[in-house]
Amino acid sequence: MKLKVYDTTLRDGEQTPGISLTPTEKLAIALRLDELGVDIIEAGSAITSKGEREAIQDIAHENLNAEIASFARILKEDVDYCLDCDVSMVNLVVPTSPIHMEYKLKKSPGEVLNQAVNVTEYAKSHGLKILLSAEDSTRSDMNFLKEVFKQTISAGACRICPCDTVSMLTPEKSLNFYKELSSLGVPVDVHCHNDFGLSTANTLAGIRGGASEFHVTVNGIGERAGNASLEEVVVSLNQLYDNYSTNINLNQLYSASKMVSRLTGAYLEPNKAIVGENAFSHESGIHSDGMLKNSHTYEPFNPELVGNHRRFVLGKHVGSKGLQNRLEQLGIYTTNKELSKIFDLVKNLADKGKIVTDADIQAISDYVMDIAEDTKVDLQEVTIVSSNRVTPTASVKLGLENQMILEAGIGVGPVDAAINAVNKGVKEFADVELEEYHVDAITGGADALIDVIVKLRLGNNVISARSTQPDIINASVEAYIIGVNRLLEIKKKQDE
């Protein structure tokens, strides 16, 4: 059975406290959702503001494959704003629980029903497709809920959505709840929130109960504990169920997740299912050894399915097989005796709470194997000019084998300027890309030590490097130089 995906990242997701997207950001996310294969994009709530209407209209005018919808209350004014935005569908939301009708609307059930029918007829007469959503339906009287749906269907609603607004369902209740509402003559949507951590499970149960469309947000963002997660639901359907499918391009899920996290500023937990940084990371010696022999020993599916990749993390739980695998990826080949010594030193370092980076491994390996590092790039000097009125500028003096290079660069900040200057200096030897940059203050106070970790790429080789100093600029440049030298050394060995 082919299911439809209704994405509400730009409406329900944006209601996450602290998230406020510009029209440009909303359009960028909408374009990515369309590439992802989402069937319907709820672009926002047209009544909210002028900027919101601008964003919804921009998205509607892109002629995307996805259908574009706007949220609306059961007010003709809301519908008029939706019409101004040129959307093809309206998500007309009707509060149906006693607590919502009495305290929020201050209306009787009969008044709410009449208003819902009148506004549905109004939207239908103006050419809009209508998804009739019952807000807080899982705390509503079932007979009244059915009556609302029956009369609004007669008035023109083409789909209905009983919303689990405050997460009152369990998977068992969800199955029966959506099954009972799947015989009213129109397709049913399932919309679940995550207050008890059950939104994905309840959504899957709702689908089993007869829902043919499900509402989700990228990364599960949304107010309070969030909404059902797009990536969790679609991958669960793909991997755990044989009779359901969607139009989602699974291999774009990881990149879409990262984009939404970046534009919204919503932190993505490392252990987030499917798209978290730890979802396919392995540290335990037993796990790493099993993974090296057969990846399915400790992974339910290959990370490439969702556009992610596998990582072996070196820490206190690392095993000798995992360490040896990482050493060989770095171009370091050891005897059994050398591997044993490196293993002990890595464990000792990790036991002290230190993150064991590739730079640490290289230093330990050089010590154990008595190999002097062939430093191709040596930082002699770095100078920064930066103020509120001057574009941040950096000049660097680099020692490159037997020559001295002076270069300058500008950037959005002093760190960016310094790294750009270094990149210009080493361009002759390597076109290095900065993939990730992370900074932490190790201690508190104004004199805190700054710990900088960078991840660099040269061709197919990716390494991380680290530096800890009181000055963020020096730490950043030193980490970058360490990484560049390591990449050049790897490239040299590969070319031999």
Side-chain angles (χ1 to χ4, degrees):
M1 177 182 178
K2 179 62 71 72
L3 301 170
K4 287 190 173 183
V5 179
Y6 185 106
D7 185 276
T8 182
T9 301
L10 297 177
R11 199 275 301 174
D12 229 344
E14 195 187 15
Q15 291 175 195
T16 302
I19 292 180
S20 181
L21 297 167
T22 66
T24 300
E25 290 169 335
K26 294 194 80 162
L27 177 58
I29 291 175
L31 292 171
R32 178 56 65 90
L33 292 173
D34 193 54
E35 292 174 4
L36 190 60
V38 164
D39 298 285
I40 301 166
I41 298 172
E42 190 173 58
S45 176
I47 190 65
T48 300
S49 68
K50 180 180 179 181
E52 183 82 341
R53 290 189 287 278
E54 177 187 337
I56 296 171
Q57 191 173 65
D58 287 347
I59 293 169
H61 290 171
E62 280 291 323
N63 296 317
L64 302 179
N65 293 318
E67 197 161 10
I68 308 303
S70 172
F71 174 96
R73 298 167 299 176
I74 46 172
L75 296 170
K76 291 182 179 179
E77 178 188 12
D78 282 30
V79 174
D80 288 339
Y81 276 123
C82 293
L83 291 167
D84 289 343
C85 293
D86 299 325
V87 297
S88 58
M89 175 181 285
V90 61
N91 178 17
L92 203 56
V93 180
V94 185
T96 55
S97 69
I99 190 170
H100 274 240
M101 291 188 289
E102 180 180 354
Y103 292 99
K104 188 174 78 171
L105 298 183
K106 300 186 184 300
K107 294 180 182 293
S108 69
E111 289 174 316
V112 172
L113 177 57
N114 288 335
Q115 188 175 343
V117 170
N118 289 337
V119 177
T120 300
E121 291 174 342
Y122 181 77
K124 178 69 174 179
S125 68
H126 285 76
L128 288 169
K129 292 182 181 179
I130 301 155
L131 166 64
L132 197 288
S133 292
E135 185 179 17
D136 202 21
S137 64
T138 49
R139 292 192 297 184
S140 302
D141 175 79
M142 180 57 79
N143 291 328
F144 176 69
L145 184 62
K146 286 183 176 179
E147 189 62 26
V148 169
F149 282 141
K150 287 177 182 177
Q151 291 202 31
T152 50
I153 289 170
S154 296
C158 62
R159 303 189 71 93
I160 59 173
C161 180
C163 301
D164 188 21
T165 304
V166 291
S167 305
M168 301 308 294
L169 293 176
T170 64
E172 296 82 6
K173 291 178 181 177
S174 183
L175 175 67
N176 295 325
F177 180 76
Y178 284 96
K179 182 179 292 185
E180 186 168 354
L181 294 168
S182 294
S183 58
L184 297 179
V186 296
V188 177
D189 293 14
V190 53
H191 180 114
C192 296
H193 284 259
N194 200 41
D195 295 81
F196 292 94
L198 295 173
S199 59
T200 295
N202 288 339
T203 298
L204 293 170
I207 290 169
R208 290 184 57 230
S212 59
E213 183 169 286
F214 55 89
H215 294 204
V216 286
T217 62
V218 176
N219 299 334
I221 61 173
E223 53 190 326
R224 304 189 314 280
N227 291 49
S229 161
L230 184 152
E231 58 277 359
E232 291 177 15
V233 176
V234 297
V235 174
S236 294
L237 289 169
N238 177 267
Q239 291 292 302
L240 303 177
Y241 294 85
D242 295 327
N243 52 338
Y244 298 109
S245 63
T246 70
N247 289 321
I248 296 297
N249 299 309
L250 298 179
N251 61 3
Q252 294 186 27
L253 284 171
Y254 180 70
S255 60
S257 164
K258 299 294 273 186
M259 177 192 186
V260 169
S261 178
R262 176 172 56 83
L263 291 182
T264 61
Y267 173 73
L268 189 65
E269 299 91 340
N271 64 333
K272 172 73 170 65
I274 313 298
V275 293
E277 288 304 302
N278 289 350
F280 299 97
S281 295
H282 306 272
E283 179 182 333
S284 165
I286 295 173
H287 283 213
S288 295
D289 182 49
M291 288 298 302
L292 291 169
K293 293 172 180 174
N294 187 316
S295 64
H296 292 295
T297 52
Y298 290 103
E299 285 178 352
F301 57 88
N302 290 332
E304 289 76 15
L305 176 74
V306 295
N308 204 339
H309 59 278
R310 185 175 299 114
R311 300 173 181 85
F312 289 99
V313 179
L314 300 183
K316 65 187 295 184
H317 302 105
V318 70
S320 59
K321 294 291 186 181
L323 175 60
Q324 184 177 31
N325 178 262
R326 187 58 186 145
L327 287 168
E328 291 178 358
Q329 288 176 350
L330 296 173
I332 302 170
Y333 297 90
T334 65
T335 64
N336 289 336
K337 185 177 180 179
E338 289 169 338
L339 176 63
S340 177
K341 181 62 175 176
I342 295 170
F343 179 76
D344 290 341
L345 291 173
V346 167
K347 285 274 192 177
N348 182 57
L349 203 58
D351 280 339
K352 294 177 180 177
K354 182 174 173 61
I355 300 172
V356 184
T357 68
D358 292 343
D360 297 320
I361 296 171
Q362 180 65 46
I364 292 171
S365 301
D366 288 349
Y367 168 71
V368 171
M369 302 170 69
D370 195 25
I371 298 174
E373 185 176 13
D374 181 15
T375 302
K376 194 177 189 70
V377 182
D378 180 36
L379 178 66
Q380 301 288 329
E381 185 180 309
V382 57
T383 303
I384 300 292
V385 177
S386 179
S387 73
N388 291 335
R389 297 182 179 181
V390 177
T391 300
T393 305
S395 61
V396 296
K397 182 188 292 185
L398 302 174
L400 297 177
E401 296 182 326
N402 296 322
Q403 58 180 311
M404 194 67 67
I405 300 292
L406 293 174
E407 273 295 352
I410 60 173
V412 294
V415 171
D416 187 44
I419 289 176
N420 287 339
V422 172
N423 256 344
K424 289 172 69 176
V426 302
K427 199 77 171 181
E428 177 184 346
F429 297 93
D431 188 10
V432 176
E433 298 176 39
L434 175 63
E435 290 206 337
E436 291 183 21
Y437 175 88
H438 183 75
V439 60
D440 277 323
I442 297 176
T443 55
D447 60 347
L449 283 175
I450 303 300
D451 189 39
V452 173
I453 300 173
V454 296
K455 181 182 287 186
L456 306 180
R457 174 184 292 275
L458 178 59
N460 293 323
N461 297 316
V462 180
I463 64 98
S464 62
R466 176 184 189 173
S467 177
T468 303
Q469 293 191 33
D471 182 84
I472 187 173
I473 297 172
N474 287 336
S476 301
V477 174
E478 182 177 87
Y480 198 86
I481 292 291
I482 290 172
V484 168
N485 277 309
R486 182 66 197 123
L487 285 169
L488 291 173
E489 182 65 20
I490 294 173
K491 186 175 183 299
K492 178 183 176 182
K493 290 183 179 179
Q494 291 174 341
D495 292 341
E496 290 176 351

